[in-house]
Amino acid sequence: MATQDKSSIFADIDEGEVDQEDENVDRWRRNLRLWRETLAKQWRMLTDDLMVRLAMITIAFFMIVAVFAPFIAPRGPLTRQYEGDAGIIIADWVEPSFLSSESEYLLGTTAEGFDIFSQLVYGSRAALLVGLVAAVFTAGIGTLVGLTAGYYGGKIDDTLMRIVDFLYGMPLLPTVIILVALMGPSLWNILFAIIVLQWRSTARVIRSQALSLRERPFVKAAQVAGASDWHIISRHLAPNVLPLSFLYGAFAIAWAILAEAGVSFIGLGDPNTVSWGTMLQSSRAYSALDFGAWWWFIPPGICIGLVVISGFLIGRGYEEITNPELR
Amino acid sequence: MSDTGAPDVSDENPLLRVEGLQKHFQINEGLISSLLRATMGKEADYVHAVDGVSFELERGETLGLAGESGCGKTTTGMSLVKLHEPTDGRIEFRGMDLTESDDEELDEFRQNAQMIFQDPFESLNPRMTVYDTLAEPLRIHDIENETARIRRALEFAELQPPDHYFDQYPHELSGGQRQRVAIARALVLDPDFIVADEPVSMLDVSLRAGVLSLMERMTEEFNLSVVYISHDLSLLRHMCDRLAIMYMGEIVEKGATEDIIENPQHPYTRSLINAVPVPDPDVGRERVELAGEVGDAIDVPSGCRFHGRCSEYIGDICETDSPSLEQKAEFDDDREVSCHLYDSCGKQS
């Protein structure tokens, strides 16, 4: 630059010692502090609502249970408690301990001789794993695809959105069932199938946000300053759509748990893992309802309901933050 | 960054030279209609936002672009800072052709050309603090002494004490303060050239004077070349050395600000100036009211684009021949007018 001929208000700064590092604001410490402030503020707004607080306590409770499952569960979830006369298959169950004084099982046992309470405790692991992993990937992939499509527009947008259209043409549960049937019944395959279908709605919404954001003058100002595409996407677009990604992530928890329970219920669940869905499935297989063994299918049903409702409530609470008009 | 040839080049050339700048936007159409059009062999429709604009800008000079909304002044401004790729024409910055510049040249241009936007509520990222907003251009260009420069730029924009504003978010600031932050962001790179697109039109009237005097000071102290874009002629008269009046993507009259305001020659300029209210009831001005709307920018009128609304319409020539922007024999100043009312003196711009 030909700076010699022009008087600059920055001249003395540039001529001074280059080593002014001490004077410069520490970037990382500063960013950390700002992040903390923002998160603290959002946390306060979120926990302002009683329903959201209850939902969070519920999720936190199940998380603790899932983490400490081996300590809480008195027995292994898939260890037979007794052997029947016919060898392996036992069409008999023990009533919960609060119904019959002879029973030593808190929620009784299944017809296969498994301890229901232990299964319930271990089932929270599968549910939360499916819910959280699906949420992270749904929000992550959806946000990335949405931002790319919305920011670049044109052919990239067309291509990505046609893929989304294609996915929209596939019904969630039947597709997951077919994918799992093809790939084999395992928890990870169910998870994969759910993620493949779920990012579509996040991508759509984030794209529409990105489309309007990229026309905003602050993005133009960054372009004028010479910012690269990646810089604009990561610094200007992403922070402004992040609340929306969180929102879709929260809803994804609930949908994923429901889908996993549904797939497990029709018998495509992982036979080596216990989930609330597989518990419901085996109770149906042994006609627990007909025999009045309500302690077999009511507890997992309640657990599914609690976690799913909590997910929706947190999502709903977050929606009120991102969209103040809902208040 | 300073190659040895640069100072010589910048001495000879004006800071910015725009030649025949055109920007056309293709009209968005659906897949089916575009297929239909392709099979029938018709050409796509374009909005002629900017259609052949030429001017030069010297170092330290201020140029005003005026005109009704939709005349292409903002598109011109955005093309000047390369927010749009021009359809046709050349923009030279210090003798370097921007349409064919390589990455390094473009990087240098990005450091030296900045833009100030109309709406300070939209031009700052709501999730970035003042400090981060100002630091961003410095980080992009790897410039040292970040904090000291930001402090200086904020002080210059009269945001005192600067440290107080570092951690504030745009929503915590007033409109005037925001526009000052936007100006500080434009200045922090120490640019040579700024495009200011309606810089005060979104501010309260009471705040305008302060921001305008800041911009005057900035032009002076940085020896900046500024293109002001506005529909407010009294503002442009106050701020600009030269004025260019635009109508439907073309410049219809340009020259020294005082010459044009005091003695407008193009019928369109006259009607624009007549529309400015004069705070003196005794001043009787012959009012020329503009009839009708701005013409169709897709299906551009033939001949002079203003002929449908012109009060001095002189006949077929207005409808058939497109007048060129040139110096006219009638005037001895260096004004250029594109109108058939006046005789060409043979010197074309």
Side-chain angles (χ1 to χ4, degrees), chain A residues 1 6 8-10 12 14 18 20 23-25 30 33 216 218 223-225 231 236 239-240, chain B residues 2 83 110 122-123 125 127 129 131-132 136 141 144-145 147 149 151-152 166-167 187 190 192:
Chain A
M1 266 188 295
K6 84 180 182 199
S8 158
I9 59 163
F10 303 114
D12 59 314
D14 291 337
V18 186
Q20 284 193 334
E23 252 243 82
N24 273 348
V25 171
R30 194 169 166 284
R33 180 169 55 78
R216 299 266 295 269
F218 64 80
Q223 282 169 342
V224 171
H231 180 100
H236 290 282
N240 283 294
Chain B
S2 66
L83 275 174
R110 290 289 189 210
E122 288 277 304
S123 67
N125 187 338
R127 291 184 196 270
T129 60
Y131 184 90
D132 288 325
E136 183 180 40
H141 293 287
E144 312 246 0
N145 305 323
T147 309
R149 267 180 173 254
R151 209 168 268 146
R152 189 67 59 86
F166 277 6
D167 286 348
L187 292 179
D190 201 2
D192 296 335

Side-chain angles (χ1 to χ4, degrees), chain B residues 120-169:
Chain B
F121 290 83
E122 288 277 304
S123 67
L124 302 174
N125 187 338
R127 291 184 196 270
M128 269 165 97
T129 60
V130 170
Y131 184 90
D132 288 325
T133 302
L134 262 73
E136 183 180 40
L138 295 175
R139 287 173 190 164
I140 290 169
H141 293 287
D142 282 327
I143 293 172
E144 312 246 0
N145 305 323
E146 189 178 285
T147 309
R149 267 180 173 254
I150 290 171
R151 209 168 268 146
R152 189 67 59 86
L154 284 175
E155 271 168 15
F156 186 84
E158 289 156 19
L159 293 168
Q160 304 267 24
D163 293 52
H164 171 72
Y165 291 94
F166 277 6
D167 286 348
Q168 295 207 312
Y169 286 93

Side-chain angles (χ1 to χ4, degrees), chain B residues 301-314:
Chain B
S302 62
C304 174
R305 294 180 180 195
F306 190 54
H307 74 249
R309 305 167 77 189
C310 187
S311 57
E312 316 252 348
Y313 181 73
I314 51 170

